[in-house]
Amino acid sequence: MTDMSHSPIGQALRRREDARFLTGAGQYTDDVVLPGQTYGVFVRSPLAHARIKSITLDAAKAKPGVVAIFTGADLQGIGGLPCGWLIHSKDGSPMKEPPHPVLAQGKVRYVGDAVALVVAETVLQARDAAEAVEVDYEELPAVVDITRAATAGSAVHDDVPDNTCYTWGHGDAAAVDAAFAKAAKVSKLQFANNRLIPNAMEPRAANASYTKHDDSYTLYVANQNPHVERLLMCAFVLGIPESKMRVIAPDVGGGFGSKIFLYAEETALVWASKRVGRPIKWTAERSESFLTDAHGRDHATTAELAMDAQGNFLAMRVHTIANLGAYLSTFASSVPTILYATLLAGQYKTPAIYCEVKSVFTNTAPVDAYRGAGRPEATYVVERLVETAARDMKMAPAQIRRRNFITSFPYATPVGLTYDTGDYEAHLAKAMAIADVAGYAARKAASAAKGLKRGLGYSCYIEACGLAPSNIAGALGARAGLFEAGEVRVHPTGTVTVFTGSHSHGQGHETSFAQVVAAKLGIPVESVEIVHGDTGRVPFGMGTYGSRSLAVGGTAIVKAVDKIIAKGKKIAAHLLEAADTDIDFEGGSFKVKGTDKAVPFGSVALTAYVPHNYPLDKLEPGLNENAFYDPTNFTYPSGSYVCEVEVDPETGRTRVDRFTAVDDFGNLVNPMIVAGQVHGGLAQGLGQAMLEGCAYDPESGQLLTGSYMDYTMPRADDLPSFTVDHTVTPCTHNPLGVKGCGEAGAIGSPAAFINALTDALGVRDIPMPATAERVWRAANGKA
């Protein structure tokens, strides 16, 4: 049992959900088997860009076990997959939104584009039949290089001849130009933020069924936000009333953003399930995941920082070309704009900032949010520039940062955000002490004596989490609300079930949310059950992404608990023969102020459901409350990372010798879960910096990194034993004082690593991923 002598908040409780995962008792979408279930397999384009001249199905339909085969022609008249954020170009014109058909119609636009859905009795029969589908293609030139997409001469979409979705600007360009004109020093970098493939442990999967007697659908799907999935599919694509669609996202084996979006596969399965009158199940092969899961990052950027003679930042100017892939994915348009440029102030009081982003279509898989979503790209720009500026100014990296830190809060940045609180010096000082920066010179000398190069790099990041509020986001182009919902149901025995619109796929909600409720009600954590991921049980919700769950979803739950307590006071007042204004609630008991008269929470719960001698004319039975919460601002976690690397110039092998991460996430509900999130984020961020890089053939558009033979994921021996710690400045606008923590590690670590590596090699830049070949070339003057 939980030790209730101390509040559960702040305790490093073991994750309750891990018992079922570690014993194989998890229930994932692929584990779902429905009566009469069939299997779906998708026929996919082998070409990056081609016209579909004809599709012949006769041989495929004659294969054993085939139930049905559908092509884009069958889906004519239904909507395409929508984009959830409208961006306007600098000239005020709306972004180009070409159709995104569920199955390709007329053209295929990337390798893996779905052309047909084969439904059969077994998955092997479906695969055999899929191989027999004959598609006659007229191959077209592929657009791959984002820096040339606008002038490629080949249009991914015929109605977007220059392949440009929008050219967006943010900030005061005139003020920036004026600041650059009087600058004593300008530091400039050109670099790419490399394209990444998400690679969650569980591939995407779906199982869709149709019930004829009430004309309803049920979709099991590996997804991060089932209510949003239902809303988009029903309202924008299939025209199904939401009341006729139940979406269940059971245990989900990781997402990292890639399972936020509405995809063609589950949409096609729902549509087809009515046509065949049986459930249809599809689980992606890993090769399909490489081809078709929404990819991340993929920017080409030129960035400049203007300074005075003392190293004070005057202005920043950033120009970025962002790859959207072949189609607009669900939130693709917002990632390189609203979630990117607004974070370019970083932790610094730079007076003027201007960012211009051109987002282009290419014949590659769609690109959308991936762990951090715009914030890692912004942090990489800022922290690479700041480190380079320190070298240009011959200042210590920590010195130039401290000279330009924001120190007074709240602080309105020149790119539209208002930081409510922070203490950047505190986590930088702590990180430097833990990392033993003072002893670095001796370690560098020791490495040199062995013929090795050693480097030290910093990254001081800030991110905006819990995207909000809805009215401001709506003004910036969001096509959905950004609130969260929670329901708290107290049972007659005093146990509690919480229904949350947030979704857990590795974050530990079943533990941390239970800790919050247990602390508020003064009951054991074991008495709180958390339910999520089912539109048939949860009132509503926007899901989990952008490190929003505890700050937004947790606050909705707290507000519902507050209503429970308020009603409980009225019941307790009746039981204690006092006025409800004289009742306090603490430690799990309702007490009359100034007396020893009290009644425990469990007794109040029972009375709510057994209302004998109960003022039914004034108080209805039951103890069940709902709440919606729409934040007034983002939360702003920040941190300082210090990375130290050792390089063998003869082989190019780079070893991360030590990595220190000190983060400010506000109040911590479960420090162990937070540390785990940071560790995972650091591994992903270092994976991007050191190893991971998605590559397409520049001429044919074929994916060259389509398996683990070519796409290198970080392994345990690639990483050091991380040292993580924290400082605390509580968020000022949510009752828990919490900030997001799930993406921080992936946001701050790439710049820290590249800053350390360029320090070791004495070069201005090295591309990510910094493979052994690239490092060897840089170390030996052959870059």
Side-chain angles (χ1 to χ4, degrees):
M1 294 286 288
T2 307
D3 178 9
M4 292 305 297
S5 62
H6 298 93
S7 169
I9 291 181
Q11 292 189 31
L13 303 185
R14 291 185 178 181
R15 300 197 334 167
R16 305 161 70 193
E17 48 269 70
D18 285 350
R20 71 175 186 273
F21 296 142
L22 293 172
T23 57
Q27 179 80 357
Y28 298 90
T29 299
D30 190 57
D31 295 321
V32 175
V33 178
L34 301 176
Q37 174 179 291
T38 61
Y39 294 84
V41 167
F42 289 89
V43 178
R44 299 189 182 278
S45 171
L47 302 174
H49 196 196
R51 297 195 188 281
I52 300 173
K53 297 175 69 177
S54 65
I55 302 176
T56 304
L57 303 177
D58 296 344
K61 286 182 175 179
K63 290 287 185 180
V66 172
V67 175
I69 302 178
F70 303 102
T71 69
D74 297 303
L75 278 78
Q76 293 279 0
I78 73 165
L81 304 183
C83 179
W85 205 293
L86 175 63
I87 295 295
H88 287 82
S89 287
K90 293 190 302 177
D91 63 5
S93 61
M95 68 185 188
K96 305 297 193 301
E97 293 187 77
H100 185 177
V102 175
L103 296 175
Q105 297 178 3
K107 281 176 73 171
V108 290
R109 295 180 172 87
Y110 68 99
V111 175
D113 208 354
V115 175
L117 167 61
V118 177
V119 183
E121 297 291 348
T122 71
V123 68
L124 293 178
Q125 290 173 333
R127 288 177 189 165
D128 287 345
E131 291 178 1
V133 173
E134 299 175 12
V135 185
D136 185 12
Y137 295 103
E138 177 192 344
E139 189 167 7
L140 301 170
V143 179
V144 180
D145 185 344
I146 61 173
T147 64
R148 300 177 182 176
T151 57
S154 178
V156 177
H157 299 274
D158 295 344
D159 52 350
V160 189
D162 65 353
N163 295 315
T164 300
C165 181
Y166 54 78
T167 300
W168 178 84
H170 189 61
D172 190 334
V176 167
D177 290 344
F180 269 83
K182 66 179 183 180
K185 183 69 178 178
V186 173
S187 292
K188 182 177 180 179
L189 284 173
Q190 288 181 290
F191 50 80
N193 202 294
N194 46 320
R195 186 180 182 117
L196 301 174
I197 300 175
N199 284 297
M201 283 198 295
E202 179 204 20
R204 288 191 294 118
N207 196 331
S209 63
Y210 171 74
T211 303
K212 185 175 182 180
H213 73 81
D214 63 355
D215 193 29
S216 69
Y217 301 80
T218 300
L219 171 66
Y220 291 87
V221 63
N223 184 269
Q224 297 177 218
N225 45 359
H227 283 91
V228 176
E229 172 98 352
R230 182 182 68 171
L231 171 64
L232 296 176
M233 189 185 297
C234 290
F236 295 96
V237 187
L238 300 181
I240 300 170
E242 285 181 88
S243 60
K244 294 295 184 180
M245 168 78 83
R246 181 182 182 185
V247 177
I248 302 170
D251 290 328
V252 174
F256 312 121
S258 68
K259 293 174 183 170
I260 297 172
F261 323 119
L262 178 65
Y263 284 96
E265 288 86 357
E266 60 257 30
T267 308
L269 261 60
V270 170
W271 178 87
S273 68
K274 182 175 182 177
R275 274 73 193 169
V276 302
R278 294 169 63 185
I280 310 173
K281 178 179 180 178
W282 167 79
T283 301
E285 297 289 324
R286 184 59 66 176
S287 58
E288 283 184 288
S289 297
F290 272 94
L291 286 170
T292 65
D293 286 5
H295 293 177
R297 316 289 192 250
D298 207 353
H299 288 189
T301 293
T302 300
E304 302 170 277
L305 181 63
M307 295 165 284
D308 67 14
Q310 289 73 46
N312 294 299
F313 300 165
L314 302 178
M316 182 184 294
R317 185 161 52 204
V318 178
H319 287 83
T320 292
I321 302 173
N323 196 348
L324 297 173
Y327 300 103
L328 278 170
S329 181
T330 306
F331 293 113
S333 55
S334 66
V335 175
T337 51
I338 303 301
L339 300 180
Y340 169 64
T342 56
L343 271 299
L344 288 172
Q347 299 182 12
Y348 311 108
K349 52 189 177 186
T350 311
I353 300 172
Y354 179 72
C355 179
E356 186 168 302
V357 178
K358 176 182 286 189
S359 289
V360 296
F361 295 110
T362 62
N363 293 117
T364 63
V367 179
D368 208 319
Y370 174 71
R371 197 169 191 171
R375 283 76 55 84
E377 297 92 316
T379 295
Y380 194 77
V381 170
V382 174
E383 289 305 293
R384 287 290 294 118
L385 262 185
V386 170
E387 197 92 353
T388 302
R391 297 169 190 173
D392 290 346
M393 296 294 292
K394 296 180 171 49
M395 296 174 65
Q399 179 189 7
I400 199 169
R401 287 176 167 86
R402 284 169 162 151
R403 181 160 296 179
N404 289 280
F405 273 159
I406 298 163
T407 56
S408 179
F409 297 89
Y411 178 83
T413 74
V415 279
L417 299 181
T418 298
Y419 303 163
D420 62 325
T421 187
D423 187 344
Y424 309 142
E425 169 59 31
H427 49 63
L428 177 58
K430 192 169 190 177
M432 292 176 69
I434 295 172
D436 186 24
V437 172
Y440 168 70
R443 295 191 295 275
K444 186 176 179 69
S447 294
K450 296 183 291 184
L452 305 176
K453 297 177 179 289
R454 182 173 286 263
L456 183 76
Y458 295 82
S459 178
C460 296
Y461 78 90
I462 192 167
E463 59 166 323
C465 300
L467 186 60
S470 292
N471 58 347
I472 293 178
L476 294 173
R479 289 166 164 166
L482 295 165
F483 53 84
E484 196 49 84
E487 177 183 351
V488 177
R489 184 179 301 168
V490 180
H491 303 290
T493 56
T495 59
V496 176
T497 301
V498 176
F499 301 86
T500 174
S502 299
H503 186 276
S504 183
H505 41 278
Q507 292 85 353
H509 294 172
E510 292 175 39
T511 304
S512 54
F513 283 8
Q515 287 178 255
V516 169
V517 174
K520 287 282 290 182
L521 294 178
I523 60 177
V525 170
E526 293 82 0
S527 295
V528 183
E529 176 194 15
I530 306 297
V531 175
H532 62 89
D534 186 345
T535 64
R537 299 183 69 189
V538 177
F540 201 79
M542 300 307 295
T544 293
Y545 47 85
S547 301
R548 73 191 300 269
S549 294
L550 193 58
V552 186
T555 298
I557 292 169
V558 167
K559 289 184 172 294
V561 171
D562 287 341
K563 293 180 181 180
I564 293 286
I565 293 171
K567 183 174 181 180
K569 287 181 177 180
K570 294 179 180 180
I571 299 172
H574 170 70
L575 294 175
L576 297 170
E577 299 180 331
D580 58 90
T581 54
D582 291 331
I583 302 296
D584 284 335
F585 180 71
E586 58 180 324
S589 291
F590 295 90
K591 303 175 182 178
V592 180
K593 297 175 183 177
T595 74
D596 60 357
K597 295 175 64 177
V599 61
F601 177 76
S603 295
V604 168
L606 182 61
T607 301
Y609 290 95
V610 186
H612 300 164
N613 301 317
Y614 192 88
L616 292 171
D617 57 328
K618 299 178 181 178
L619 204 57
E620 64 184 24
L623 202 52
N624 187 82
E625 297 287 353
N626 298 328
F628 284 73
Y629 173 65
D630 199 325
T632 58
N633 195 359
F634 291 95
T635 68
Y636 296 100
S638 61
S640 294
Y641 292 175
V642 182
C643 178
E644 200 167 317
V645 301
E646 192 176 58
V647 180
D648 184 344
E650 293 188 1
T651 64
R653 175 172 170 77
T654 302
R655 180 176 66 89
V656 181
D657 182 58
R658 53 183 67 194
F659 197 106
T660 301
V662 178
D663 300 281
D664 177 2
F665 298 133
N667 296 329
L668 305 186
V669 170
N670 187 312
M672 183 181 68
I673 289 178
V674 169
Q677 290 290 308
V678 174
H679 276 244
L682 293 175
Q684 279 187 277
L686 290 175
Q688 173 179 11
M690 300 167 63
L691 302 164
E692 296 184 51
C694 172
Y696 285 88
D697 183 276
E699 299 298 326
S700 68
Q702 291 292 326
L703 181 64
L704 302 178
T705 52
S707 76
Y708 292 129
M709 294 292 290
D710 302 296
Y711 188 91
T712 308
M713 298 283 285
R715 295 175 294 187
D717 61 354
D718 294 312
L719 304 170
S721 180
F722 301 120
T723 302
V724 302
D725 210 322
H726 64 276
T727 59
V728 177
T729 57
C731 176
T732 62
H733 56 81
N734 69 60
L736 294 169
V738 297
K739 307 174 187 179
C741 73
E743 298 166 295
I747 290 170
S749 55
F753 174 83
I754 296 296
N755 285 339
L757 184 57
T758 53
D759 179 56
L761 299 176
V763 298
R764 194 168 185 84
D765 191 34
I766 189 167
M768 295 191 294
T771 60
E773 179 187 358
R774 285 174 169 172
V775 173
W776 178 85
R777 289 182 178 279
N780 293 277
K782 300 179 184 295

